[in-house]
Amino acid sequence: FFNSLALSMLTWQAFGVSRAAVGIGDAASSSFVRVRAPTMKWEVDIAPWELEYGLQRAPVRLPEGIKEGDPPQPFEINEEQRQTLFDDGAIVIPGLLTEEWLEYLRASTDWQVQHPHFWSIAGVASGLYDYIQRSVWASNKAFADFLYYSPLASALAGLSNAKELRLSTDLLMVNPNKGFKWHQDNQNGPIDAFGDNKALRWWVTMDDCPP
């Protein structure tokens, strides 16, 4: 949803709640085992009994003036920007999102980290990020609404002169904890689509990124 021609999201905030240990067995016997809920060091609780499994609805209000059912907000892409993307394979679009939209995303992300979804288990357990989850737009209505109503869809359509957009995948990433050497992802959609200029990867950062 949302974070840079790569269908991902990036923020630099951590949040969590510690949990008490759970005892199994007879405390008076030697068979008593003390089991701790599987929380990560950043205290994101991924214990199966603590996770949410269905559609989530973060209680975050849309920016002023945005109503459910509205079309995406407009955003004009000029020919020079389209040509830059074609020539360089990447482009930065300053001013695409207002501070209101960024605050909306930050609040939605903070809520998501505090209410981890079942789909985040493998990513969080890896320790690569404080929180990481694919397809967050399909599990949390707040992120779906960002796609529906923000200017992002208008900008992406303008870059490719498209009349219709279809989301292949998205990825919410919070606080990377390990560095990555150069690599090439292969799970973000059909590779041949990029050769025909039918697909875009995009990235939205919620915090300032130094040059």
Side-chain angles (χ1 to χ4, degrees):
F1 257 23
F2 322 82
N3 320 49
S4 128
L5 295 188
L7 309 171
S8 332
M9 264 204 304
L10 175 64
T11 185
W12 304 89
Q13 304 169 22
F15 207 101
V17 181
S18 60
R19 302 288 180 178
V22 178
I24 300 176
D26 182 1
S29 71
S30 59
S31 62
F32 179 79
V33 179
R34 189 171 179 81
V35 179
R36 289 192 175 275
T39 57
M40 305 308 295
K41 66 178 181 182
W42 318 277
E43 299 183 349
V44 176
D45 196 339
I46 55 172
W49 54 87
E50 297 290 350
L51 296 171
E52 298 190 28
Y53 292 80
L55 177 64
Q56 296 177 301
R57 297 175 182 269
V60 181
R61 297 184 62 178
L62 289 166
E64 188 70 28
I66 305 297
K67 302 187 301 294
E68 290 201 21
D70 284 350
Q73 288 186 303
F75 191 88
E76 193 69 28
I77 294 293
N78 59 45
E79 188 57 41
E80 181 182 357
Q81 290 173 308
R82 279 189 284 270
Q83 191 62 43
T84 298
L85 176 61
F86 181 81
D87 293 340
D88 300 341
I91 186 173
V92 176
I93 307 177
L96 174 60
L97 297 178
T98 64
E99 187 60 31
E100 282 186 294
W101 274 115
L102 291 174
E103 286 300 328
Y104 174 88
L105 283 176
R106 291 166 185 151
S108 300
T109 299
D110 286 344
W111 187 93
Q112 185 65 72
V113 174
Q114 296 175 61
H115 302 82
H117 194 273
F118 174 75
W119 293 347
S120 70
I121 288 180
V124 173
S126 73
L128 296 176
Y129 296 86
D130 284 5
Y131 188 90
I132 181 169
Q133 181 190 328
R134 192 174 293 277
S135 298
V136 70
W137 83 282
S139 67
N140 189 327
K141 187 176 183 297
F143 293 102
D145 285 347
F146 169 73
L147 284 184
Y148 296 152
Y149 306 124
S150 80
L152 176 62
S154 297
L156 294 176
L159 284 171
S160 56
N161 285 321
K163 295 181 179 180
E164 179 181 287
L165 295 175
R166 298 183 182 182
L167 181 63
S168 172
T169 185
D170 73 319
L171 186 62
L172 174 64
M173 295 179 285
V174 183
N175 281 351
N177 293 294
K178 297 179 181 180
F180 286 93
K181 296 182 179 179
W182 188 93
H183 67 284
Q184 187 172 20
D185 293 333
N186 62 3
Q187 77 275 35
N188 290 324
I191 300 300
D192 57 353
F194 293 92
D196 295 334
N197 293 320
K198 295 178 182 177
L200 293 171
R201 293 187 177 190
W202 45 270
W203 188 281
V204 174
T205 58
M206 297 178 225
D207 293 304
D208 290 336
C209 291

